[in-house]
Amino acid sequence: MLLITGAAGFIGGNFVHHWFESSSEPVVVLDKLTYAGNAATIAAFLKPGHCELVQGDIGDRALVARLLNEHAPRALLHFAAESHVDRSIHGPGEFVQTNLVGTFGLLEEVRAYWTELSGEKRDSFRLLHVSTDEVYGSLSDTDPAFTETTPYSPNSPYSATKAGSDHLVRAYHHTYGIPTLTTNCSNNYGPYHFPEKLIPLMILNALDGKPLPVYGDGKNIRDWLYVRDHCEAIRQVLERGRPGETYNVGGKNEIRNIDVVTTICRKLDALRPRATGKYEDLITYVTDRPGHDRRYAIDPSKIEREIGWQPTETFASGIEKTVRWYLENDEWIAGVRSGAYRQWIQTQYGHESRGPGV
Ligand code: NAD
Ligand code: TYD
């Protein structure tokens, strides 16, 4: 079986969906269910012995030890993290705690568990650490894309704590021999994405007739990958990745933020036109994010060459699916528009209530 951390969140949740499309191997999810964790995302799969959700902190070492010893997983997939850059600017403490200290605790407990394994079980065990391209820092418009050998240069508390966790994972492989795999992926989008991130925020604000807040000049570039393609990359790296290696994952879809937003607006104009005017009329330029990275771009040559992975969605096909998903899943959306999320919107965007559902 697989032990998966953070699978009530966006990518981990999509991974569970993807996993059960082609496998019946059981899964145990360890998730703290923070504001970003939503049990509803994986509710359809929850059944004892098939997919179990344990609410808990990756930093709770006794709990992690118990889950490892009780379930004896063949792999641990580590998605759990604090993941939103803007939140890390307002409150870096949680990021240090979960991304860095939490990952350290997890590694220590994996080390204790793995050391006791023998033979085939020990050789075939994998710890797959899910990370981000943001650890490499910011590119200029003419710099080459990030490769696995690009020096780390994180600029936000989020990326710094992810970089630290990547280094710890690397060290646990080199020092203790734990068979680790690390993936560094570009920006994901797709179903079950929490509406604090650019794409779901824009879709839901537009539908609510609220301003679409574009930071700075809107010309920052991200390299967008449909989440299902990322999940497939993780599945393939788990099966075929070489222990101790890192793999960059990206879709060669570099797009300026303003172009992402106008694409969403035009999609919505076609699928659910406004009573008057166009969705683009809602675009509002707002104060830039402090230290805002200009451009991210992934060179996926290594994973293509060594693993044979290729993305299946273009940005055009992926954004179409994503917009349609948000138009068709009112219940899930209503579920996330509550509690801590409201407070966060207040802190981030002040009293103008630019966030969805507030
Ligand atoms: P997310 O914020 O949607 O989900 C994170 C999940 O982790 C939530 O379910 C949350 O409840 C859980 N969690 C947080 N702290 C925890 C703790 N201390 N113990 C247990 N569970 C905890 O994040 P995501 O977008 O799904 O990202 C998943 C992973 O992928 C992260 O490690 C992130 O750094 C990485 N990543 C994300 C992107 C992206 O575009 N979203 C791109 C590349 C890499
Ligand atoms: P985000 O989804 O937060 O991902 P990341 O910062 O990890 O890349 O943001 C994607 C891009 O969109 C980033 O350049 C910041 C920008 N952005 C806005 O312009 N407005 C917004 O309201 C948000 C949330 C992001």
Side-chain angles (χ1 to χ4, degrees), residues 5-13 30-38 56-59 78-84 94 97-99 102 129-134 158 162 183-189 192-194 196-197 224-225 230:
T5 71
F10 166 48
I11 304 174
L30 171 61
D31 198 297
K32 192 176 171 183
L33 298 181
T34 67
Y35 78 93
N38 186 347
D57 196 317
I58 56 164
H78 180 31
F79 291 89
E82 287 291 338
S83 70
H84 189 37
E94 278 298 306
Q97 210 49 47
T98 285
N99 301 358
H129 174 60
V130 180
S131 193
T132 165
D133 61 355
E134 303 193 21
Y158 164 64
K162 289 297 291 186
T183 52
N184 293 90
C185 189
S186 59
N187 286 62
N188 283 213
Y189 66 101
Y192 305 106
H193 204 179
F194 193 77
E196 65 185 349
K197 305 278 170 67
W224 294 95
L225 183 69
H230 185 192

Short mmCIF file of all heavy atoms in Angstrom, two decimals, residues 5-13 30-38 56-59 78-84 94 97-99 102 129-134 158 162 183-189 192-194 196-197 224-225 230, ligand 1:
data_model
loop_
_atom_site.label_atom_id
_atom_site.label_comp_id
_atom_site.label_asym_id
_atom_site.label_seq_id
_atom_site.Cartn_x
_atom_site.Cartn_y
_atom_site.Cartn_z
N THR A 5 0.90 11.74 2.22
CA THR A 5 0.62 12.91 3.05
C THR A 5 -0.01 14.00 2.19
O THR A 5 0.32 14.15 1.02
CB THR A 5 1.90 13.47 3.71
OG1 THR A 5 2.71 14.10 2.70
CG2 THR A 5 2.70 12.39 4.42
N GLY A 6 -0.94 14.75 2.79
CA GLY A 6 -1.50 15.93 2.11
C GLY A 6 -2.42 15.63 0.96
O GLY A 6 -2.62 16.48 0.08
N ALA A 7 -3.04 14.46 0.95
CA ALA A 7 -3.87 14.09 -0.21
C ALA A 7 -5.32 14.56 -0.08
O ALA A 7 -6.16 14.20 -0.91
CB ALA A 7 -3.83 12.59 -0.47
N ALA A 8 -5.62 15.40 0.92
CA ALA A 8 -6.91 16.09 0.91
C ALA A 8 -6.76 17.46 0.25
O ALA A 8 -7.71 18.22 0.16
CB ALA A 8 -7.45 16.23 2.33
N GLY A 9 -5.54 17.77 -0.19
CA GLY A 9 -5.29 19.04 -0.88
C GLY A 9 -5.45 18.87 -2.38
O GLY A 9 -5.91 17.83 -2.88
N PHE A 10 -5.03 19.88 -3.11
CA PHE A 10 -5.28 19.95 -4.56
C PHE A 10 -4.57 18.83 -5.33
O PHE A 10 -5.22 17.98 -5.96
CB PHE A 10 -4.82 21.34 -5.03
CG PHE A 10 -4.69 21.50 -6.51
CD1 PHE A 10 -5.70 21.08 -7.38
CD2 PHE A 10 -3.55 22.10 -7.05
CE1 PHE A 10 -5.56 21.25 -8.76
CE2 PHE A 10 -3.41 22.27 -8.41
CZ PHE A 10 -4.41 21.84 -9.28
N ILE A 11 -3.25 18.78 -5.27
CA ILE A 11 -2.54 17.82 -6.12
C ILE A 11 -2.65 16.40 -5.56
O ILE A 11 -2.92 15.44 -6.29
CB ILE A 11 -1.06 18.23 -6.33
CG1 ILE A 11 -0.99 19.65 -6.90
CG2 ILE A 11 -0.36 17.25 -7.26
CD1 ILE A 11 0.42 20.22 -7.01
N GLY A 12 -2.47 16.27 -4.24
CA GLY A 12 -2.59 14.95 -3.62
C GLY A 12 -3.98 14.36 -3.85
O GLY A 12 -4.13 13.16 -4.11
N GLY A 13 -5.02 15.21 -3.75
CA GLY A 13 -6.39 14.74 -3.98
C GLY A 13 -6.57 14.26 -5.41
O GLY A 13 -7.15 13.20 -5.66
N LEU A 30 -2.52 10.73 5.18
CA LEU A 30 -2.30 11.49 6.42
C LEU A 30 -2.40 12.96 6.07
O LEU A 30 -1.60 13.48 5.28
CB LEU A 30 -0.90 11.18 7.01
CG LEU A 30 -0.47 12.08 8.17
CD1 LEU A 30 -1.42 11.95 9.37
CD2 LEU A 30 0.97 11.76 8.59
N ASP A 31 -3.41 13.64 6.62
CA ASP A 31 -3.62 15.05 6.28
C ASP A 31 -4.13 15.78 7.51
O ASP A 31 -5.03 15.30 8.20
CB ASP A 31 -4.62 15.16 5.12
CG ASP A 31 -4.57 16.52 4.44
OD1 ASP A 31 -4.87 17.54 5.12
OD2 ASP A 31 -4.22 16.58 3.25
N LYS A 32 -3.58 16.95 7.74
CA LYS A 32 -3.98 17.75 8.90
C LYS A 32 -5.34 18.41 8.69
O LYS A 32 -5.94 18.90 9.64
CB LYS A 32 -2.90 18.82 9.11
CG LYS A 32 -2.96 19.58 10.41
CD LYS A 32 -1.75 20.52 10.48
CE LYS A 32 -1.86 21.47 11.66
NZ LYS A 32 -0.73 22.42 11.68
N LEU A 33 -5.80 18.42 7.44
CA LEU A 33 -7.03 19.14 7.08
C LEU A 33 -6.95 20.60 7.52
O LEU A 33 -7.77 21.07 8.32
CB LEU A 33 -8.28 18.43 7.63
CG LEU A 33 -8.51 17.03 7.10
CD1 LEU A 33 -9.79 16.43 7.68
CD2 LEU A 33 -8.58 16.98 5.57
N THR A 34 -5.94 21.28 7.03
CA THR A 34 -5.84 22.73 7.24
C THR A 34 -6.91 23.37 6.37
O THR A 34 -7.69 22.68 5.71
CB THR A 34 -4.46 23.25 6.77
OG1 THR A 34 -4.39 23.11 5.34
CG2 THR A 34 -3.32 22.49 7.43
N TYR A 35 -6.91 24.70 6.29
CA TYR A 35 -7.88 25.40 5.42
C TYR A 35 -7.83 24.85 3.98
O TYR A 35 -8.81 24.89 3.25
CB TYR A 35 -7.56 26.92 5.41
CG TYR A 35 -6.40 27.22 4.50
CD1 TYR A 35 -6.60 27.58 3.17
CD2 TYR A 35 -5.08 27.06 4.94
CE1 TYR A 35 -5.54 27.79 2.31
CE2 TYR A 35 -4.01 27.26 4.09
CZ TYR A 35 -4.25 27.62 2.77
OH TYR A 35 -3.19 27.81 1.92
N ALA A 36 -6.65 24.34 3.57
CA ALA A 36 -6.47 23.87 2.18
C ALA A 36 -6.84 22.41 2.01
O ALA A 36 -6.91 21.92 0.88
CB ALA A 36 -5.03 24.09 1.73
N GLY A 37 -7.08 21.71 3.09
CA GLY A 37 -7.40 20.29 3.02
C GLY A 37 -8.91 20.11 3.06
O GLY A 37 -9.59 20.68 3.90
N ASN A 38 -9.42 19.30 2.15
CA ASN A 38 -10.86 19.15 2.04
C ASN A 38 -11.16 17.67 1.82
O ASN A 38 -10.91 17.14 0.74
CB ASN A 38 -11.35 20.00 0.86
CG ASN A 38 -12.85 20.03 0.75
OD1 ASN A 38 -13.54 19.24 1.39
ND2 ASN A 38 -13.35 20.94 -0.07
N GLY A 56 -4.21 14.22 10.82
CA GLY A 56 -3.06 14.39 11.72
C GLY A 56 -1.97 15.19 11.04
O GLY A 56 -2.01 15.44 9.84
N ASP A 57 -1.00 15.56 11.86
CA ASP A 57 0.10 16.43 11.43
C ASP A 57 1.30 15.59 11.04
O ASP A 57 1.66 14.66 11.78
CB ASP A 57 0.44 17.36 12.61
CG ASP A 57 1.27 18.55 12.18
OD1 ASP A 57 2.21 18.37 11.38
OD2 ASP A 57 0.98 19.66 12.66
N ILE A 58 1.95 15.92 9.92
CA ILE A 58 3.17 15.18 9.55
C ILE A 58 4.26 15.36 10.62
O ILE A 58 5.19 14.58 10.70
CB ILE A 58 3.74 15.60 8.17
CG1 ILE A 58 4.00 17.11 8.11
CG2 ILE A 58 2.84 15.14 7.04
CD1 ILE A 58 4.91 17.53 6.96
N GLY A 59 4.12 16.43 11.44
CA GLY A 59 5.09 16.67 12.51
C GLY A 59 4.82 15.84 13.76
O GLY A 59 5.61 15.86 14.71
N HIS A 78 4.98 12.21 -0.42
CA HIS A 78 4.89 13.36 0.48
C HIS A 78 4.45 14.63 -0.26
O HIS A 78 5.26 15.34 -0.87
CB HIS A 78 6.26 13.57 1.14
CG HIS A 78 6.32 14.70 2.09
ND1 HIS A 78 5.24 15.13 2.85
CD2 HIS A 78 7.36 15.52 2.45
CE1 HIS A 78 5.61 16.15 3.60
NE2 HIS A 78 6.88 16.42 3.37
N PHE A 79 3.12 14.89 -0.19
CA PHE A 79 2.55 16.09 -0.79
C PHE A 79 2.33 17.20 0.24
O PHE A 79 2.24 18.37 -0.13
CB PHE A 79 1.15 15.79 -1.38
CG PHE A 79 1.13 14.90 -2.59
CD1 PHE A 79 1.04 13.52 -2.47
CD2 PHE A 79 1.14 15.44 -3.87
CE1 PHE A 79 0.98 12.71 -3.59
CE2 PHE A 79 1.09 14.63 -5.00
CZ PHE A 79 1.01 13.26 -4.86
N ALA A 80 2.17 16.83 1.52
CA ALA A 80 1.71 17.81 2.52
C ALA A 80 2.67 18.99 2.60
O ALA A 80 3.88 18.83 2.71
CB ALA A 80 1.59 17.14 3.88
N ALA A 81 2.09 20.18 2.56
CA ALA A 81 2.88 21.40 2.70
C ALA A 81 1.94 22.58 2.87
O ALA A 81 0.76 22.50 2.51
CB ALA A 81 3.74 21.63 1.45
N GLU A 82 2.46 23.64 3.42
CA GLU A 82 1.82 24.94 3.25
C GLU A 82 2.28 25.41 1.88
O GLU A 82 3.48 25.41 1.60
CB GLU A 82 2.27 25.92 4.35
CG GLU A 82 1.69 25.61 5.72
CD GLU A 82 0.18 25.88 5.79
OE1 GLU A 82 -0.34 26.66 4.97
OE2 GLU A 82 -0.47 25.29 6.67
N SER A 83 1.33 25.81 1.01
CA SER A 83 1.70 25.94 -0.41
C SER A 83 1.46 27.31 -1.04
O SER A 83 1.77 27.49 -2.21
CB SER A 83 0.92 24.88 -1.21
OG SER A 83 -0.46 25.22 -1.25
N HIS A 84 0.90 28.27 -0.30
CA HIS A 84 0.54 29.53 -0.97
C HIS A 84 1.55 30.64 -0.65
O HIS A 84 1.69 31.05 0.51
CB HIS A 84 -0.87 29.94 -0.55
CG HIS A 84 -1.42 31.09 -1.34
ND1 HIS A 84 -1.18 31.25 -2.69
CD2 HIS A 84 -2.18 32.14 -0.99
CE1 HIS A 84 -1.78 32.35 -3.12
NE2 HIS A 84 -2.39 32.90 -2.10
N GLU A 94 4.20 29.02 9.91
CA GLU A 94 3.56 27.74 9.58
C GLU A 94 4.33 27.00 8.49
O GLU A 94 4.35 25.78 8.44
CB GLU A 94 2.13 27.98 9.08
CG GLU A 94 1.10 28.16 10.18
CD GLU A 94 0.97 26.91 11.05
OE1 GLU A 94 0.75 25.83 10.50
OE2 GLU A 94 1.09 27.05 12.27
N GLN A 97 7.32 25.42 9.98
CA GLN A 97 6.90 24.30 10.81
C GLN A 97 6.54 23.07 9.97
O GLN A 97 7.05 21.98 10.21
CB GLN A 97 5.69 24.76 11.66
CG GLN A 97 5.58 24.08 12.99
CD GLN A 97 6.89 24.08 13.78
OE1 GLN A 97 7.56 25.10 13.90
NE2 GLN A 97 7.27 22.92 14.30
N THR A 98 5.68 23.26 8.99
CA THR A 98 5.23 22.09 8.20
C THR A 98 6.26 21.68 7.16
O THR A 98 6.66 20.52 7.10
CB THR A 98 3.87 22.40 7.52
OG1 THR A 98 2.85 22.34 8.52
CG2 THR A 98 3.54 21.39 6.42
N ASN A 99 6.70 22.63 6.34
CA ASN A 99 7.52 22.25 5.18
C ASN A 99 8.91 21.79 5.60
O ASN A 99 9.47 20.87 5.00
CB ASN A 99 7.62 23.42 4.19
CG ASN A 99 6.26 23.86 3.68
OD1 ASN A 99 5.24 23.27 4.04
ND2 ASN A 99 6.22 24.88 2.86
N GLY A 102 8.32 19.69 9.76
CA GLY A 102 7.44 18.53 9.52
C GLY A 102 8.12 17.50 8.63
O GLY A 102 8.08 16.30 8.90
N HIS A 129 9.19 12.69 -2.71
CA HIS A 129 8.98 14.04 -2.18
C HIS A 129 8.52 14.96 -3.31
O HIS A 129 9.22 15.11 -4.31
CB HIS A 129 10.32 14.51 -1.58
CG HIS A 129 10.31 15.93 -1.12
ND1 HIS A 129 9.45 16.40 -0.15
CD2 HIS A 129 11.09 16.98 -1.47
CE1 HIS A 129 9.70 17.69 0.07
NE2 HIS A 129 10.68 18.07 -0.72
N VAL A 130 7.33 15.54 -3.12
CA VAL A 130 6.75 16.38 -4.17
C VAL A 130 7.16 17.83 -3.93
O VAL A 130 6.79 18.43 -2.91
CB VAL A 130 5.21 16.26 -4.17
CG1 VAL A 130 4.60 17.12 -5.27
CG2 VAL A 130 4.79 14.79 -4.35
N SER A 131 7.94 18.38 -4.85
CA SER A 131 8.39 19.76 -4.66
C SER A 131 8.08 20.62 -5.88
O SER A 131 7.35 20.21 -6.78
CB SER A 131 9.87 19.79 -4.29
OG SER A 131 10.21 21.09 -3.82
N THR A 132 8.65 21.81 -5.86
CA THR A 132 8.24 22.86 -6.79
C THR A 132 9.42 23.43 -7.56
O THR A 132 10.57 23.36 -7.09
CB THR A 132 7.57 23.99 -5.97
OG1 THR A 132 7.47 25.16 -6.77
CG2 THR A 132 8.39 24.37 -4.74
N ASP A 133 9.13 24.04 -8.71
CA ASP A 133 10.19 24.73 -9.46
C ASP A 133 10.59 26.05 -8.80
O ASP A 133 11.60 26.65 -9.16
CB ASP A 133 9.75 24.98 -10.92
CG ASP A 133 8.52 25.87 -11.04
OD1 ASP A 133 7.92 26.24 -10.02
OD2 ASP A 133 8.15 26.20 -12.20
N GLU A 134 9.78 26.50 -7.81
CA GLU A 134 10.05 27.82 -7.21
C GLU A 134 11.36 27.83 -6.41
O GLU A 134 11.89 28.90 -6.11
CB GLU A 134 8.86 28.27 -6.35
CG GLU A 134 7.60 28.30 -7.18
CD GLU A 134 6.42 29.02 -6.56
OE1 GLU A 134 6.63 29.86 -5.65
OE2 GLU A 134 5.28 28.75 -6.97
N TYR A 158 7.87 30.55 1.26
CA TYR A 158 7.37 29.27 0.75
C TYR A 158 8.49 28.51 0.05
O TYR A 158 8.81 27.37 0.39
CB TYR A 158 6.19 29.49 -0.21
CG TYR A 158 5.88 28.27 -1.06
CD1 TYR A 158 5.44 27.08 -0.48
CD2 TYR A 158 6.03 28.31 -2.45
CE1 TYR A 158 5.17 25.96 -1.28
CE2 TYR A 158 5.76 27.20 -3.25
CZ TYR A 158 5.34 26.02 -2.64
OH TYR A 158 5.08 24.92 -3.42
N LYS A 162 10.50 25.02 1.03
CA LYS A 162 10.49 23.85 0.13
C LYS A 162 11.93 23.48 -0.26
O LYS A 162 12.28 22.30 -0.32
CB LYS A 162 9.66 24.13 -1.12
CG LYS A 162 8.16 24.22 -0.91
CD LYS A 162 7.53 22.93 -0.41
CE LYS A 162 7.52 21.82 -1.43
NZ LYS A 162 6.75 20.64 -0.94
N THR A 183 10.45 15.29 -7.07
CA THR A 183 9.96 15.91 -8.30
C THR A 183 9.82 17.41 -8.05
O THR A 183 9.31 17.83 -7.01
CB THR A 183 8.60 15.33 -8.72
OG1 THR A 183 7.69 15.40 -7.61
CG2 THR A 183 8.72 13.88 -9.17
N ASN A 184 10.30 18.21 -8.98
CA ASN A 184 10.15 19.68 -8.91
C ASN A 184 9.27 20.11 -10.06
O ASN A 184 9.70 20.09 -11.22
CB ASN A 184 11.51 20.37 -8.99
CG ASN A 184 12.36 20.08 -7.77
OD1 ASN A 184 13.11 19.09 -7.75
ND2 ASN A 184 12.24 20.89 -6.75
N CYS A 185 8.03 20.46 -9.74
CA CYS A 185 7.04 20.71 -10.78
C CYS A 185 6.69 22.20 -10.89
O CYS A 185 6.80 22.94 -9.91
CB CYS A 185 5.77 19.90 -10.50
SG CYS A 185 4.59 19.93 -11.85
N SER A 186 6.26 22.58 -12.07
CA SER A 186 5.82 23.95 -12.31
C SER A 186 4.38 24.14 -11.80
O SER A 186 3.79 23.22 -11.24
CB SER A 186 5.90 24.25 -13.80
OG SER A 186 5.08 23.32 -14.49
N ASN A 187 3.80 25.32 -12.03
CA ASN A 187 2.46 25.63 -11.53
C ASN A 187 1.41 24.68 -12.10
O ASN A 187 1.32 24.51 -13.31
CB ASN A 187 2.05 27.05 -11.92
CG ASN A 187 2.77 28.10 -11.10
OD1 ASN A 187 3.98 28.20 -11.15
ND2 ASN A 187 2.02 28.87 -10.34
N ASN A 188 0.62 24.11 -11.21
CA ASN A 188 -0.46 23.21 -11.61
C ASN A 188 -1.80 23.97 -11.65
O ASN A 188 -1.98 24.97 -10.95
CB ASN A 188 -0.64 22.10 -10.57
CG ASN A 188 0.41 21.01 -10.66
OD1 ASN A 188 0.14 19.85 -10.40
ND2 ASN A 188 1.64 21.36 -11.02
N TYR A 189 -2.73 23.42 -12.42
CA TYR A 189 -4.11 23.93 -12.41
C TYR A 189 -5.02 22.77 -12.76
O TYR A 189 -4.58 21.76 -13.34
CB TYR A 189 -4.28 25.09 -13.41
CG TYR A 189 -4.12 24.67 -14.84
CD1 TYR A 189 -5.24 24.46 -15.65
CD2 TYR A 189 -2.86 24.42 -15.38
CE1 TYR A 189 -5.10 24.03 -16.97
CE2 TYR A 189 -2.72 23.98 -16.69
CZ TYR A 189 -3.83 23.78 -17.47
OH TYR A 189 -3.69 23.34 -18.76
N TYR A 192 -10.54 20.81 -8.21
CA TYR A 192 -10.26 20.75 -6.76
C TYR A 192 -9.15 21.70 -6.32
O TYR A 192 -8.47 21.44 -5.33
CB TYR A 192 -9.92 19.32 -6.31
CG TYR A 192 -10.95 18.28 -6.66
CD1 TYR A 192 -10.75 17.38 -7.70
CD2 TYR A 192 -12.16 18.22 -5.96
CE1 TYR A 192 -11.70 16.43 -8.04
CE2 TYR A 192 -13.12 17.27 -6.29
CZ TYR A 192 -12.88 16.38 -7.33
OH TYR A 192 -13.83 15.45 -7.64
N HIS A 193 -8.93 22.77 -7.07
CA HIS A 193 -7.88 23.73 -6.72
C HIS A 193 -8.47 24.78 -5.80
O HIS A 193 -9.47 25.41 -6.13
CB HIS A 193 -7.36 24.38 -8.01
CG HIS A 193 -5.98 24.93 -7.93
ND1 HIS A 193 -5.37 25.52 -9.00
CD2 HIS A 193 -5.08 24.96 -6.93
CE1 HIS A 193 -4.14 25.89 -8.66
NE2 HIS A 193 -3.94 25.57 -7.39
N PHE A 194 -7.84 25.00 -4.67
CA PHE A 194 -8.38 25.93 -3.68
C PHE A 194 -8.38 27.36 -4.24
O PHE A 194 -7.36 27.82 -4.77
CB PHE A 194 -7.55 25.86 -2.40
CG PHE A 194 -8.22 26.54 -1.25
CD1 PHE A 194 -9.26 25.93 -0.58
CD2 PHE A 194 -7.82 27.81 -0.86
CE1 PHE A 194 -9.89 26.58 0.48
CE2 PHE A 194 -8.45 28.46 0.19
CZ PHE A 194 -9.48 27.84 0.86
N GLU A 196 -7.68 30.30 -3.73
CA GLU A 196 -6.79 31.40 -3.36
C GLU A 196 -5.71 31.54 -4.43
O GLU A 196 -5.02 32.55 -4.50
CB GLU A 196 -6.10 31.12 -2.01
CG GLU A 196 -5.17 29.91 -2.09
CD GLU A 196 -4.55 29.51 -0.77
OE1 GLU A 196 -4.66 30.26 0.20
OE2 GLU A 196 -3.96 28.41 -0.73
N LYS A 197 -5.55 30.50 -5.26
CA LYS A 197 -4.53 30.49 -6.31
C LYS A 197 -5.11 31.12 -7.57
O LYS A 197 -6.32 31.13 -7.78
CB LYS A 197 -4.07 29.06 -6.59
CG LYS A 197 -3.58 28.30 -5.35
CD LYS A 197 -2.15 28.63 -4.99
CE LYS A 197 -1.71 28.07 -3.65
NZ LYS A 197 -1.63 26.64 -3.56
N TRP A 224 2.53 26.52 -16.96
CA TRP A 224 1.36 25.84 -16.41
C TRP A 224 1.26 24.38 -16.84
O TRP A 224 1.43 24.05 -18.01
CB TRP A 224 0.09 26.59 -16.82
CG TRP A 224 0.04 27.96 -16.20
CD1 TRP A 224 0.44 29.13 -16.76
CD2 TRP A 224 -0.39 28.26 -14.86
NE1 TRP A 224 0.27 30.16 -15.85
CE2 TRP A 224 -0.23 29.66 -14.69
CE3 TRP A 224 -0.90 27.51 -13.80
CZ2 TRP A 224 -0.56 30.32 -13.50
CZ3 TRP A 224 -1.23 28.17 -12.62
CH2 TRP A 224 -1.06 29.55 -12.47
N LEU A 225 0.93 23.52 -15.88
CA LEU A 225 0.76 22.08 -16.15
C LEU A 225 -0.58 21.61 -15.59
O LEU A 225 -0.89 21.87 -14.41
CB LEU A 225 1.90 21.28 -15.50
CG LEU A 225 1.87 19.77 -15.77
CD1 LEU A 225 2.17 19.46 -17.22
CD2 LEU A 225 2.86 19.03 -14.86
N HIS A 230 0.64 16.08 -14.01
CA HIS A 230 1.59 16.00 -12.89
C HIS A 230 1.41 14.69 -12.13
O HIS A 230 2.38 14.01 -11.79
CB HIS A 230 1.37 17.20 -11.96
CG HIS A 230 2.35 17.30 -10.84
ND1 HIS A 230 2.17 18.15 -9.76
CD2 HIS A 230 3.52 16.66 -10.60
CE1 HIS A 230 3.19 18.03 -8.93
NE2 HIS A 230 4.03 17.12 -9.41
P1 NAD B 1 -2.51 22.35 -1.06
O1 NAD B 1 -2.23 23.54 -0.21
O2 NAD B 1 -3.70 22.35 -1.95
O3 NAD B 1 -2.64 21.05 -0.13
C1 NAD B 1 -1.77 20.80 0.92
C2 NAD B 1 -2.36 19.68 1.77
O4 NAD B 1 -1.44 19.42 2.84
C3 NAD B 1 -3.70 20.06 2.42
O5 NAD B 1 -4.60 18.98 2.30
C4 NAD B 1 -3.33 20.32 3.88
O6 NAD B 1 -4.40 20.04 4.77
C5 NAD B 1 -2.16 19.37 4.07
N1 NAD B 1 -1.27 19.79 5.15
C6 NAD B 1 -0.75 21.03 5.36
N2 NAD B 1 0.03 21.02 6.46
C7 NAD B 1 0.02 19.75 6.94
C8 NAD B 1 0.65 19.10 8.05
N3 NAD B 1 1.44 19.78 8.90
N4 NAD B 1 0.43 17.79 8.23
C9 NAD B 1 -0.39 17.08 7.38
N5 NAD B 1 -1.01 17.64 6.34
C10 NAD B 1 -0.81 18.96 6.11
O7 NAD B 1 -1.17 22.10 -1.89
P2 NAD B 1 -0.99 21.51 -3.35
O8 NAD B 1 -1.12 22.61 -4.33
O9 NAD B 1 -1.84 20.30 -3.47
O10 NAD B 1 0.54 21.09 -3.29
C11 NAD B 1 0.92 19.78 -2.89
C12 NAD B 1 2.44 19.69 -2.94
O11 NAD B 1 2.88 19.98 -4.27
C13 NAD B 1 3.14 20.70 -2.04
O12 NAD B 1 4.25 20.07 -1.45
C14 NAD B 1 3.58 21.81 -2.99
O13 NAD B 1 4.75 22.44 -2.53
C15 NAD B 1 3.83 21.02 -4.26
N6 NAD B 1 3.66 21.75 -5.53
C16 NAD B 1 2.53 22.47 -5.77
C17 NAD B 1 2.37 23.11 -7.01
C18 NAD B 1 1.11 23.87 -7.35
O14 NAD B 1 1.04 24.52 -8.40
N7 NAD B 1 0.06 23.84 -6.53
C19 NAD B 1 3.37 23.02 -7.98
C20 NAD B 1 4.51 22.26 -7.68
C21 NAD B 1 4.63 21.64 -6.46
#
